[in-house]
Amino acid sequence: MNSRSSTFGEVAAARTDWLCVIKIIFAGIVTLSWLVPAPLAAAQPERLWQSARDEVFLQETGRRIPAPEALEAVAIFNRKVFAGSSKGLYQLDSGRLLPVAEFREPVLRLVTVGDSLWAMTGRGLHRQHAGAWKKVSDETVTDVAGHLGEIFAASGNHLWRVRGDKLEPASTNEAPFTIARIISHAEMLYVQGGDRLTFWDGKGIGGVDVYDSRADLGWDWGELPSRNVRDVLSQGSKMYFATERGLGVLRGMSLAAIRGEQGLCYEDTTCLARGFTNDLWIGTTRGAIRMVGGQFHYFAGQRWLPDDRVSAIAVGERAVYLATNKGLGVIEYEPFTLLKKAAYYERHLEEWGQKRLGLVQKLEWDDALKEFVREAGDNDGGYSGTYLAAQSYRYAVTKDPDARREAVNTFQALRWLEVMTGIPGFPARAVWAKGERGHKSTGGSGGYPAEWHDTADGKFEWKGDTSSDEICSHFYATTLFLQLAAQGDEIAQARQHLARIATHLIDHHWRLIDLDGKPTRWGRWDPEYFTTDEGRFDRGLQALQMLSFVKTAESLTSDAKFTSAYHQLVELGYPAYTLRQRQTFPPEAVLHFEDELALWSYWNLLQFEKNPQLRATYRRSFERSYEVIRIEQNPWFNFVYGALTGNDCEVSPAVAHLREWPLDLVIWSYQNSHRADLRTPPGYSAHKGGTRTFSPRETEPCRWDHWLMQADGGTGGHDVVEPSSWLLAYWLGRYQGFIEAPQVTDPALLTVERTRGRVLGAKPYDGPPRPEKF
């Protein structure tokens, strides 16, 4: 009895102790909820946009296979790829073009018809059947086609039937022109030559019909874009003509044109091929075009082709082979979801060696080492902030401990950048381990040399002359980390990190003061700077940034110092400056990277500002700025706008942009300024110059400080960008509901295999580790 009473007493006492602990924990949670403002989703404005499903799509990848001479023909037969040139025939084998020993003649055209591969040369017609080549005719054949179970061939003005291994006349008369192509279309056999098209009626070709009209003009209305027809293809109800001025399209007896006005990327077309999903492939003298679902996908430049002149196209099962002057371009398609793409890019960061000391890195080609190396650049902290924000969103969506681990690691790296300088609130741009393998930036701001300084322990150097770019990123990314992923001591560390930076700026009269006691080149937000010519141009963006920094520090700490400083900025007229934060004139002074800085700053300011009048001013500024950049269809821009306002933010083009990022993150050179479709689409205005935005498939994968309307660019394959920007846009889209989770459950469509120790880019970092405590 006493024993039992004692037990109950101990339990009661223990329960009382635990209740006290729970109350303390609850009180702490309430306190932290007040200190760490809730994520934006908790106060989402009325939603005027429609979310997009993460549906399965076909992701392109490109390969280039060199050839010793120009390729003129390509075909697929029995799942094997053959290519023809002026020196003979090649077969694709294990990524190489190997000569076919039996063929030493120049190959003009290759066609797969029925159970045979047909090769047309200047010396005759050859046929591969049952694994053996046989010459069918000495005639110079220009085309072979199947029609209603028979095979026909054209030579000069003559149409022939293939009977076994021989050619027999198929027409009682000659065609009124030299035949270039035979086309089986709508149960009729047509022949084409030059700008003329007629049909075979089972006996004769062309002539005059019962209405006394020429039968060698195969349409009643319209005309070809050019008389120079290079190829013809039947697809469904339409017959397509490739010409030097676009495509002709015959439907019924009506001929129309597809040119730049209709969206054709380039008009000097050379060849045509049916796709694998009711699409059409178009070769041109400047790349290839896929026409699918009313849209045009342009493939040109080093990412996709050995050379831009495309002579012939063959399409297999989710693979396209393009014959060019320097070899074979191969574009392959694989089912993906955006979630799988996110996993692929996470793997890319590891396999390409793009992580180091908690930071993410761009890679550069080293000519001496003949390999990619990491670059300690100008804004490593700022670009790593993008990855921190992405991982914070990823953790909020998935609760994946790997995401939180990455977020914490990157946050500690950013915090270390501030601690290592020895100047409270002054973060370094980048860090370099003495003796490490890689490229240490030699350039600084405004054309001056880079400023590198030793750390206290002598193991590292840090890059000074820090700019507003870095500060914007620290505030944006650290705030998201605090709201979405920080735990335990990390919460206080994150708050103190931003408070120190804000204090530095306030104590130094809105300036960033470097080791030499002077403001950095791009670290001025003070009223005196705004009176200079440069400052008057910059003050809209600079005022927005400083208001955002101080308002964020006030909201996260409730420190009266920041409240007073914010009021001072308001009294100085900083809110009014923000109304023209995006400068668009003169064109040569427009810096496109500033849009990223602005959106980083709008994100916090519009979250934390509660004063209706100030919010109205900032919102007006934001609406103006977004209208300037809306034409770019940048997914991160769009999602930030939609999340802050609830307005329509063009989710569909944003998601399309994410799908169109190449898996290959090498920055190849590209050109688009020659295209025929350079028109500003209806509903948009190009306030910052340019004509239209471009797909990343047609340009490059990039950071969000890049101008998506830049027509020409790239570095010839000498750089590899980190995929942090893509990951940020995707996980922001998932967190805010712009992108729904995939509905498929097949793991092959949701993730990628991880291979430990695989090195595709820079070698692993082997320098001193980051300090454990700082």
Side-chain angles (χ1 to χ4, degrees):
M1 188 74 175
N2 288 337
S3 173
R4 182 179 178 125
S5 297
S6 175
T7 301
F8 272 109
E10 292 171 0
V11 170
R15 183 180 180 187
T16 301
D17 291 341
W18 275 109
L19 285 173
C20 291
V21 171
I22 290 169
K23 288 179 181 178
I24 293 170
I25 293 173
F26 179 77
I29 292 172
V30 172
T31 302
L32 291 176
S33 298
W34 174 68
L35 291 176
V36 183
L40 189 64
Q44 183 81 353
E46 181 186 2
R47 176 175 134 175
L48 301 178
W49 44 266
Q50 295 291 324
S51 59
R53 294 180 180 177
D54 187 0
E55 297 177 324
V56 178
F57 65 96
L58 293 177
Q59 174 68 56
E60 309 106 333
T61 57
R63 287 189 291 138
R64 296 176 298 167
I65 300 170
E69 66 272 352
L71 300 180
E72 301 294 339
V74 63
I76 300 172
F77 179 63
N78 285 344
R79 298 188 176 183
K80 298 176 181 178
V81 178
F82 294 87
S85 76
S86 60
K87 294 187 178 180
L89 187 67
Y90 295 93
Q91 181 178 331
L92 182 61
D93 186 6
S94 302
R96 296 185 301 159
L97 288 171
L98 303 179
V100 176
E102 302 98 307
F103 240 96
R104 297 297 183 186
E105 299 179 40
V107 177
L108 306 177
R109 183 168 171 78
L110 292 169
V111 176
T112 300
V113 177
D115 59 358
S116 300
L117 172 64
W118 302 84
M120 285 148 266
T121 75
R123 303 174 189 172
L125 176 65
H126 303 258
R127 175 183 187 179
Q128 188 192 70
H129 177 71
W133 282 99
K134 185 172 184 179
K135 191 169 187 178
V136 175
S137 173
D138 291 327
E139 294 282 345
T140 302
V141 173
T142 53
D143 201 12
V144 174
H147 176 66
L148 301 181
E150 294 187 279
I151 299 174
F152 292 82
S155 174
N157 295 61
H158 298 277
L159 184 66
W160 305 86
R161 269 193 181 92
V162 179
R163 296 290 194 191
D165 292 328
K166 296 181 180 180
L167 297 185
E168 296 180 356
S171 174
T172 56
N173 66 327
E174 295 183 354
F177 46 78
T178 301
I179 302 173
R181 292 288 181 267
I182 312 170
I183 313 102
S184 178
H185 176 73
E187 302 183 35
M188 180 68 70
L189 187 66
Y190 288 85
V191 293
Q192 172 270 330
D195 63 340
R196 301 170 73 178
L197 177 77
T198 190
F199 56 85
W200 174 71
D201 64 4
K203 294 182 180 179
I205 301 174
V208 177
D209 63 18
V210 296
Y211 297 100
D212 219 22
S213 297
R214 286 171 49 199
D216 61 337
L217 186 64
W219 52 88
D220 288 340
W221 305 278
E223 59 184 21
L224 289 165
S226 165
R227 300 183 66 177
N228 184 13
V229 177
R230 290 150 169 176
D231 201 5
V232 186
L233 177 74
S234 169
Q235 187 167 18
S237 62
K238 301 173 184 177
M239 190 184 301
Y240 293 94
F241 300 79
T243 84
E244 62 189 345
R245 298 185 63 194
L247 298 181
V249 185
L250 179 64
R251 185 166 186 166
M253 299 284 281
S254 179
L255 186 65
I258 299 177
R259 302 188 63 185
E261 294 177 7
Q262 289 74 39
L264 188 66
C265 309
Y266 194 63
E267 294 183 346
D268 194 4
T269 61
T270 56
C271 54
L272 302 166
R274 295 184 190 89
F276 52 82
T277 175
N278 200 33
D279 53 329
L280 174 68
W281 280 85
I282 306 159
T284 80
T285 57
R286 294 291 295 270
I289 302 167
R290 183 188 184 206
M291 187 171 76
V292 55
Q295 297 186 348
F296 298 88
H297 301 171
Y298 188 49
F299 299 88
Q302 297 168 294
R303 186 180 307 283
W304 306 109
L305 301 172
D307 182 77
D308 278 350
R309 184 178 184 87
V310 178
S311 302
I313 306 173
V315 179
E317 185 178 351
R318 292 182 180 166
V320 181
Y321 302 87
L322 303 110
T324 78
N325 284 350
K326 294 182 180 179
L328 204 60
V330 184
I331 301 173
E332 295 168 298
Y333 289 81
E334 180 183 351
F336 257 72
T337 58
L338 292 175
L339 181 60
K340 177 177 179 177
K341 199 166 186 175
Y344 179 93
Y345 286 146
E346 291 288 351
R347 185 178 71 180
H348 189 284
L349 284 164
E350 301 288 346
E351 292 183 343
W352 281 76
Q354 293 188 283
K355 294 180 180 178
R356 155 189 166 276
L357 296 168
L359 302 172
V360 293
Q361 311 282 165
K362 185 191 81 170
L363 304 184
E364 294 182 341
W365 181 255
D366 188 294
D367 285 328
L369 296 174
K370 302 300 180 186
E371 64 184 39
F372 282 107
V373 298
R374 284 172 292 275
E375 177 215 23
D378 211 36
N379 291 296
D380 288 2
Y383 292 131
S384 295
T386 299
Y387 188 64
L388 170 58
Q391 295 308 302
S392 297
Y393 278 124
R394 178 184 165 206
Y395 178 69
V397 172
T398 66
K399 301 304 177 187
D400 185 341
D402 286 341
R404 204 187 95 77
R405 190 159 40 248
E406 292 290 343
V408 171
N409 187 38
T410 308
F411 165 68
Q412 295 298 352
L414 295 190
R415 195 167 72 89
W416 180 44
L417 288 176
E418 186 259 337
V419 173
M420 72 173 60
T421 68
I423 308 172
F426 185 97
R429 284 179 175 270
V431 61
W432 172 261
K434 292 186 177 181
E436 74 169 288
R437 188 186 192 92
H439 288 170
K440 175 184 170 185
S441 174
T442 58
S445 299
Y448 295 106
E451 297 181 16
W452 289 97
H453 311 282
D454 284 355
T455 57
D457 60 10
K459 296 179 180 179
F460 300 93
E461 295 176 66
W462 60 271
K463 191 174 187 182
D465 196 26
T466 303
S467 71
S468 59
D469 310 28
E470 297 291 312
I471 307 304
C472 290
S473 178
H474 277 259
F475 271 88
Y476 171 74
T478 303
T479 299
L480 284 171
F481 172 68
L482 191 56
Q483 292 175 329
L484 302 174
Q487 297 176 8
D489 292 342
E490 299 151 10
I491 295 173
Q493 290 173 351
R495 290 173 53 239
Q496 292 164 9
H497 176 65
L498 296 182
R500 283 195 302 274
I501 297 175
T503 298
H504 178 105
L505 298 173
I506 294 168
D507 289 350
H508 293 94
H509 190 54
W510 323 115
R511 298 175 302 168
L512 198 58
I513 303 300
D514 210 334
L515 202 61
D516 58 5
K518 298 178 182 179
T520 65
R521 176 66 181 88
W522 302 113
R524 293 190 63 180
W525 300 263
D526 53 289
E528 292 76 18
Y529 175 64
F530 291 172
T531 64
T532 67
D533 289 341
E534 183 178 83
R536 277 192 292 270
F537 186 85
D538 287 343
R539 65 187 178 186
L541 175 60
Q542 299 298 95
L544 171 68
Q545 292 172 2
M546 187 55 69
L547 288 163
S548 182
F549 301 157
V550 178
K551 174 55 72 173
T552 300
E554 178 197 21
S555 299
L556 297 179
T557 67
S558 296
D559 190 325
K561 169 178 57 181
F562 300 124
T563 304
S564 175
Y566 188 74
H567 288 163
Q568 184 181 351
L569 292 172
V570 172
E571 291 172 0
L572 288 169
Y574 277 42
Y577 291 144
T578 69
L579 291 173
R580 294 290 186 275
Q581 85 77 21
R582 180 12 103 193
Q583 296 288 354
T584 61
F585 188 85
E588 65 272 10
V590 173
L591 303 175
H592 300 285
F593 71 85
E594 291 182 343
D595 294 316
E596 182 181 44
L597 309 186
L599 265 66
W600 279 338
S601 302
Y602 280 123
W603 182 262
N604 283 357
L605 186 58
L606 285 172
Q607 277 191 77
F608 298 139
E609 180 58 75
K610 305 303 178 187
N611 181 289
Q613 291 181 328
L614 291 174
R615 275 194 60 83
T617 299
Y618 302 149
R619 178 66 183 273
R620 183 182 171 198
S621 167
F622 186 41
E623 293 288 345
R624 176 183 182 274
S625 297
Y626 179 66
E627 184 56 28
V628 172
I629 61 178
R630 182 172 64 91
I631 186 175
E632 295 187 54
Q633 297 179 352
N634 179 315
W636 183 67
F637 289 0
N638 287 10
F639 293 161
V640 166
Y641 177 77
L644 287 173
T645 68
N647 288 339
D648 175 64
C649 58
E650 305 189 24
V651 173
S652 292
V655 171
H657 181 102
L658 294 176
R659 287 176 177 152
E660 291 166 16
W661 259 52
L663 297 183
D664 170 13
L665 299 181
V666 176
I667 306 301
W668 299 105
S669 296
Y670 57 88
Q671 288 187 329
N672 290 289
S673 55
H674 62 282
R675 288 169 55 164
D677 59 344
L678 300 183
R679 293 168 177 79
T680 301
Y684 295 94
S685 296
H687 295 295
K688 292 192 302 176
T691 56
R692 51 157 291 180
T693 192
F694 294 97
S695 164
R697 158 196 311 119
E698 301 163 355
T699 54
E700 63 181 87
C702 63
R703 296 158 171 165
W704 296 142
D705 62 359
H706 184 77
W707 189 38
L708 300 187
M709 297 172 69
Q710 180 175 319
D712 304 334
T715 63
H718 286 81
D719 297 278
V720 182
V721 73
E722 74 281 2
S724 305
S725 291
W726 191 98
L727 292 167
L728 171 57
Y730 172 71
W731 288 113
L732 165 60
R734 284 288 306 276
Y735 180 76
Q736 294 291 346
F738 299 113
I739 303 173
E740 299 175 1
Q743 298 298 307
V744 295
T745 58
D746 183 355
L749 293 170
L750 301 175
T751 190
V752 294
E753 294 183 4
R754 304 292 284 266
T755 305
R756 291 186 177 275
R758 190 179 184 189
V759 178
L760 299 177
K763 289 182 169 60
Y765 172 76
D766 60 358
R770 188 177 71 206
E772 293 184 8
K773 295 182 180 181
F774 44 85

